[in-house]
Amino acid sequence: MSLPSSTPYDGKPWLARYQAGQPHAIAPAFTDALSVFRAAVARAGERPAILYFDGSLSYAELDAQSDALACAWLARGCARGDRIAIYLQNVPQFVIALVAAWKIGAIAVPVNPMNRARELRLLLADSGARLLVCHESLYAEVVHPLLAQEAGLAGLAARGEPALQPAVMTTSELEYQSRLDPRLFAGGRRVPAEALAGAEDLAGVIAAHRGSRPPPVLLGPSDIAMLVYTSGTTGVPKGAMNTHGNIAFNAQVYRDWIALQEGAPILGVAPLFHITGLVGHIGAAFICAAPLVLACRFEPGVILDAIREHRVAFTIGSITVFIALMNHPQATREHFATLTRIYSGGAPIPPSVVEAFRARFGHYIHNGYGLTETNSPTHVVPFGSEAPVDPASGALAVGVPAFNVESYIGDDEGRPLPVGEVGEIISRGPMIVPGYWNKPQESAKAIVDGYFRTGDVGFMDERGWFYLVDRKKDMINAGGYKVWPREVEDVLYTHPAVREAAVVGVPDDYRGETVKAVVSLKPQAQATPEELVAYCKERMAAYKYPRIVAILDELPKTVTGKILRRELRG
């Protein structure tokens, strides 16, 4: 993809949006993610690295436990470049395993703990993982039956399918704490030992190698740190090759762009297997030598308590997280007193939600935009600034290109479009992955001359603000008119009864497709489908408003909080 010698984006109008004194580009402070961690240990070894309910793990202890685990893996034949799958919730063991993998030059493969056997098998087979760390419950329910089935299958090699027999280590979310909050750990019982046959106990393995240190490993910016699999919403999941340089750079972007303070607690509200959790939580905590506050799984009341108890200063999560917190009956301004740096990404943010959150808690939710392939943000609202709302579409800007990012809006062939025209968001910078694991054709299609074609549709205004319209595949063609779901959703969010909204296209004999909205309502609120149709009809062009409205108690979501539109099309 060769760009014209002169484009409307060459002048980088977004640089004028940067905060006073903020540099336009930064030099990487670290070449690899492990060095970021080692620097935190060196200057803040006794500070807490992880806060997990009433448990605490210092940076020195995290270093020692990851050393022990790294030595255990070396003793079992793991080597540099091997893949190690981490199939865990937001627990301390996730971070221990991640750092241990880096200490032997291995590649971590974070796995969504909601994945079941078919999905897990796909990721293990594609990555070639030789070791798996998982919860005891997941071993008993998913992993052991899968591996038993694999062992009994004949003819896998003849069909060209690799047999899956990774070594397995199990652990429990009940460890590293004693409080056992009944909202998450009702019963508080461990999985019986007989159900864990064939797996090693992670805690026992770490204890057995306590005091051992692995040989030093030299990592460079191009070494792969993780294979983070895309969600698969556009096809079979692909393993993005997130490098050490990618992670270290964007951890620094978080710190420098948002002015994160050394040692100020960071809330891990996004799943750690997701790129936001990996870079915006773990990476950001390491580069600030800050405590990472974890709570296993998202439960609004538990999260509110964690924010107040640990005096959290920063977090980033999906907008559905903040909607859930805002609608919790016990949420108060006191809960958010210390949480002065709030960012959201992963899905378009309705402006009405930002204003409602600020009115209730006094804090502005800053927007951000990035993907797995960009190691979290490429576009971010400068801290202390407010994103404008496009008067024509009602879209809230996702931000401006962050440090060292080149970005533009392209047509279907990747050629720059005029300012203000809608097209594909295309970006280049130190955070872009080199490609997908074992998929050279997919890599070449997505990344050309370092520019990543996001598949997201948006535009840039004359001031350099970027706006996200929607995913290309989600556009609705209603009688020849283009309808972007986000615009309809934004209108629905302004209705006082609507808690969450999702809009999809469904088949229609006359129009080809028609607009369907699925909503959930706020506690004690009431609204009928007919009322919501009329509400939108008054506020939108005739071809845009939903002809069908369904009301559900809860909208289906991914574990990262994104609403699953594809499950609403039926």
Side-chain angles (χ1 to χ4, degrees):
M1 181 170 64
S2 59
L3 298 179
S5 57
S6 178
T7 77
Y9 305 87
D10 290 344
K12 298 183 178 180
W14 54 82
L15 295 179
R17 310 280 77 78
Y18 281 27
Q19 295 286 45
Q22 198 169 39
H24 293 168
I26 57 175
F30 298 93
T31 59
D32 65 276
L34 183 58
S35 293
V36 178
F37 171 73
R38 292 201 187 283
V41 174
R43 72 180 185 273
E46 298 312 309
R47 279 189 211 156
I50 299 173
L51 297 172
Y52 185 64
F53 297 96
D54 61 340
S56 178
L57 200 64
S58 70
Y59 271 95
E61 184 62 18
L62 176 54
D63 190 35
Q65 292 200 26
S66 56
D67 271 349
L69 186 55
C71 290
W73 288 343
L74 288 172
R76 286 156 178 75
C78 286
R80 186 182 186 119
D82 283 344
R83 276 74 65 203
I84 297 174
I86 306 174
Y87 188 31
L88 298 172
Q89 297 280 2
N90 283 23
V91 295
Q93 300 94 309
F94 189 110
V95 186
I96 295 168
L98 179 67
V99 176
W102 292 344
K103 285 182 173 180
I104 63 172
I107 300 170
V109 183
V111 180
N112 183 342
M114 291 181 68
N115 280 0
R116 308 313 286 173
R118 180 190 63 82
E119 300 153 318
L120 177 63
R121 191 196 188 284
L122 189 154
L123 267 58
L124 293 177
D126 188 74
S127 66
R130 64 174 299 167
L131 196 143
L132 172 68
V133 181
C134 67
H135 287 292
E136 293 172 348
S137 56
L138 288 174
Y139 180 77
E141 298 166 8
V142 181
V143 177
H144 185 262
L146 172 64
L147 296 184
Q149 181 185 41
E150 292 287 311
L153 288 177
L156 278 173
R159 298 201 305 268
E161 297 180 28
L164 299 182
Q165 288 299 320
V168 182
M169 294 182 180
T170 61
T171 188
S172 171
E173 61 273 24
L174 306 183
E175 296 182 31
Y176 294 92
Q177 60 158 325
S178 61
R179 186 155 56 195
L180 299 186
D181 192 311
R183 290 171 291 185
L184 288 176
F185 308 111
R189 290 185 295 272
R190 299 286 293 268
V191 174
E194 57 268 23
L196 303 176
E200 292 188 275
D201 174 57
L202 186 72
V205 168
I206 291 174
H209 290 266
R210 183 80 188 190
S212 302
R213 294 186 66 87
V217 61
L218 183 63
L219 298 170
S222 62
D223 285 314
I224 302 171
M226 308 179 297
L227 296 182
V228 185
Y229 279 80
T230 61
S231 62
T233 55
T234 57
V236 177
K238 302 182 289 290
M241 298 187 292
N242 304 80
T243 69
H244 277 276
N246 293 153
I247 298 165
F249 184 85
N250 257 16
Q252 185 177 345
V253 169
Y254 272 106
R255 183 194 67 186
D256 296 354
W257 188 271
I258 305 171
L260 299 180
Q261 301 300 302
E262 176 82 359
I266 292 173
L267 175 66
V269 73
L272 294 185
F273 79 84
H274 188 264
I275 198 64
T276 302
L278 291 161
V279 182
H281 296 338
I282 297 176
F286 285 177
I287 204 165
C288 295
L292 177 60
V293 178
L294 300 178
C296 189
R297 298 185 302 277
F298 179 75
E299 199 285 331
V302 171
I303 294 299
L304 287 169
D305 289 348
I307 294 169
R308 183 164 55 183
E309 177 183 354
H310 299 299
R311 299 185 62 79
V312 169
F314 163 72
T315 197
I316 179 170
S318 68
I319 195 60
T320 55
V321 163
F322 300 108
I323 291 172
L325 294 176
M326 183 169 57
N327 286 300
H328 193 279
Q330 296 174 343
T332 67
R333 282 199 172 216
E334 183 185 353
H335 284 101
F336 294 91
T338 62
L339 188 52
T340 57
R341 287 164 165 80
I342 303 176
Y343 274 76
S344 182
I349 301 177
S352 59
V353 172
V354 174
E355 291 308 317
F357 190 92
R358 176 161 55 182
R360 184 163 181 190
F361 303 116
H363 296 306
Y364 181 78
I365 300 174
H366 298 74
N367 217 338
Y369 167 75
L371 296 93
T372 300
E373 295 91 336
T374 69
N375 285 270
S376 208
T378 52
H379 299 67
V380 203
V381 175
F383 180 68
S385 297
E386 295 188 13
V389 177
D390 175 59
S393 66
L396 185 72
V398 295
V400 297
F403 306 123
N404 304 50
V405 175
E406 299 174 37
S407 191
Y408 70 96
I409 304 299
D411 62 15
D412 289 343
E413 284 72 46
R415 296 172 301 210
L417 289 168
V419 169
E421 286 200 18
V422 172
E424 185 175 13
I425 300 174
I426 301 174
S427 300
R428 180 168 70 176
M431 66 289 295
I432 306 296
V433 300
Y436 300 109
W437 181 255
N438 289 335
K439 289 182 171 57
Q441 290 183 333
E442 295 278 3
S443 301
K445 187 187 304 181
I447 304 166
V448 183
D449 297 331
Y451 282 96
F452 173 58
R453 302 197 60 167
T454 64
D456 285 332
V457 174
F459 62 94
M460 187 191 82
D461 68 19
E462 69 282 353
R463 300 176 64 213
W465 289 100
F466 279 69
Y467 298 79
L468 180 63
V469 175
D470 249 309
R471 294 289 296 178
K472 278 185 176 181
K473 66 180 184 63
D474 287 330
M475 188 269 290
I476 302 166
N477 189 335
Y481 291 98
K482 289 182 179 180
V483 180
W484 296 105
R486 183 215 46 77
E487 184 178 357
V488 186
E489 290 164 1
D490 282 356
V491 170
L492 285 163
Y493 272 110
T494 65
H495 190 284
V498 171
R499 176 165 63 102
E500 294 175 335
V503 170
V504 296
V506 294
D508 181 85
D509 290 341
Y510 176 65
R511 306 173 81 210
E513 276 189 301
T514 196
V515 181
K516 174 184 176 181
V518 184
V519 304
S520 64
L521 303 180
K522 295 175 181 176
Q524 283 78 55
Q526 293 184 340
T528 65
E530 294 76 16
E531 176 186 342
L532 294 174
V533 169
Y535 182 85
C536 292
K537 186 176 181 180
E538 291 176 4
R539 291 162 174 81
M540 308 192 76
Y543 66 90
K544 292 181 182 178
Y545 74 85
R547 266 57 175 183
I548 305 168
V549 172
I551 299 175
L552 302 180
D553 291 337
E554 292 289 339
L555 270 59
K557 301 182 187 72
T558 68
V559 72
T560 62
K562 290 183 182 179
I563 294 171
L564 286 167
R565 283 178 176 160
R566 65 175 179 268
E567 293 191 9
L568 301 173
R569 291 190 170 96

